[in-house]
């Protein structure tokens, strides 16, 4: 299965990906996680990306496209992958399409997790991540167990200001890739509001398990 998760910031892409990788047994490749790792390591890519990410802006296409195409060319992606957060511009979608075409393969599904804007700020601002396990919590909707609280991380771009920019960028830059995949007949829409377990069931129902 070669698939993409699309949705606004805080839609639940990371939360659902963590559940779906067990079902589909494919690597979860998050462009945001890769960029945050580069920032933490202080690589040239990370230094460049950090300034954009803190403000909620998109990292330039040429930086992200190279990073992801190199990643999906690795052997563990030969049988499939779950891309999360890439592509998020039309040039990224076209670059992915061209690269897959050159490799003689194609996408099976593009899953759009739909959540109204009004819910996104609270979801992002209340998010906390566990750097040891990768688990994603929410102070209200998925509270962390007391023993991990001290080590949790609050993302630099989970501020009200950065989330506002990220939501605007989603509508102006990322939403336009939806018609691109709609015309290919591989777009699947899922309502991302409700209990995460129910959302997982909705996803496996549209994807097949
Ligand atoms: P990225 O890391 O991709 O962030 P994002 O797309 O903004 O998505 P998030 O990680 O914020 O949200 P999510 O949908 O994964 O939600 P989650 O499951 O965590 O990108 C970050 C930045 O990197 C970008 O702004 C950009 O600068 C750069 N970047 C990355 N990729 C790029 C690219 N391709 N091109 C250019 N730049 C790029 O859930 C959120 C919270 O809600 C959690 O607390 C969770 O517990 C909670 N939650 C989840 N589901 C539910 C539910 N059903 N009900 C209630 N709460 C829920």
């Amino acid at each position: 299965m070669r698939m993409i998760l699309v949705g606004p910031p805080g839609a639940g892409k990371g939360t659902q990906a963590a559940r779906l990788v067990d079902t589909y047994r494919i690597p979860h490749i998050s462009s945001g996680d890769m960029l945050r790792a580069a920032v933490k390591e202080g690589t040239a890519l990370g230094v460049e990306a950090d300034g954009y990410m803190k403000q909620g802006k998109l990292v330039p296409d040429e930086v992200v496209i190279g990073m992801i195409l190199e990643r999906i060319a690795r052997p563990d992606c030969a049988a499939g992958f779950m891309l999360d957060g890439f592509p998020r511009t039309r040039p990224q979608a076209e670059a992915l399409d061209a690269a897959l075409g050159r490799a003689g393969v194609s996408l099976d599904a593009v899953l759009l997790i739909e959540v109204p804007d009004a819910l996104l700020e609270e979801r992002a601002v209340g998010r906390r991540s566990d750097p040891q396990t990768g688990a994603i919590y929410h102070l209200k909707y998925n509270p962390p167990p007391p023993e991990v609280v001290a080590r949790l991380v609050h993302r630099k771009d989970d501020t009200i200001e950065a989330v506002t920019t990220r939501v605007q960028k989603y509508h102006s830059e990322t939403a336009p890739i939806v018609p691109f995949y709609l015309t290919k007949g591989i777009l699947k829409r899922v309502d991302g509001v409700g209990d995460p377990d129910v959302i997982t069931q909705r996803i496996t129902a549209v994807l097949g398990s």
Side-chain angles (χ1 to χ4, degrees):
M1 163 88 80
R2 292 180 183 84
M3 63 170 291
I4 297 173
L5 293 173
V6 181
K13 303 182 293 294
T15 299
Q16 294 300 326
R19 295 151 176 255
L20 296 170
V21 286
D22 288 338
T23 304
Y24 296 102
R25 297 175 185 278
I26 47 178
H28 168 215
I29 299 169
S30 159
S31 49
D33 285 350
M34 290 176 75
L35 290 167
R36 280 185 288 279
V39 171
K40 200 171 168 190
E41 287 164 20
T43 63
L45 185 149
V47 171
E48 181 178 0
D50 194 32
Y52 296 99
M53 294 174 77
K54 274 192 291 208
Q55 297 178 64
K57 294 179 178 170
L58 294 184
V59 176
D61 285 336
E62 58 273 20
V63 175
V64 184
I65 289 170
M67 178 184 83
I68 294 294
L69 296 190
E70 186 273 326
R71 176 66 188 86
I72 63 174
R74 292 192 204 161
D76 65 327
C77 292
F81 50 75
M82 181 180 298
L83 285 177
D84 164 2
F86 181 97
R88 65 208 295 160
T89 65
R90 181 77 187 226
Q92 291 180 18
E94 288 169 354
L96 177 64
D97 213 42
L100 294 178
R102 285 194 295 274
V105 296
S106 58
L107 289 171
D108 299 298
V110 175
L111 186 79
L112 174 61
I113 304 180
E114 298 181 298
V115 175
D117 286 2
L119 301 183
L120 300 174
E121 181 185 298
E122 188 193 22
R123 282 201 188 182
V125 173
R127 171 177 30 205
R128 298 292 184 274
S129 315
D130 185 338
Q132 265 183 38
T133 65
I136 303 169
Y137 297 102
H138 190 280
L139 296 178
K140 180 172 166 189
Y141 298 116
N142 182 20
E147 63 273 19
V148 307
V149 167
R151 66 176 188 239
L152 296 184
V153 173
H154 189 210
R155 269 171 47 178
K156 284 187 275 188
D157 60 349
D158 277 345
T159 60
I160 292 175
E161 297 73 23
V163 174
T164 303
T165 304
R166 287 159 60 199
V167 172
Q168 285 167 355
K169 289 286 174 198
Y170 174 76
H171 288 296
S172 63
E173 305 290 330
T174 306
I177 71 174
V178 170
F180 179 78
Y181 291 118
L182 193 60
T183 57
K184 290 179 178 289
I186 53 172
L187 186 80
K188 319 270 183 195
R189 296 175 188 270
V190 168
D191 178 4
V193 180
D195 186 293
D197 290 340
V198 174
I199 296 165
T200 307
Q201 288 165 14
R202 289 177 194 150
I203 293 172
T204 49
V206 298
L207 291 180
S209 53

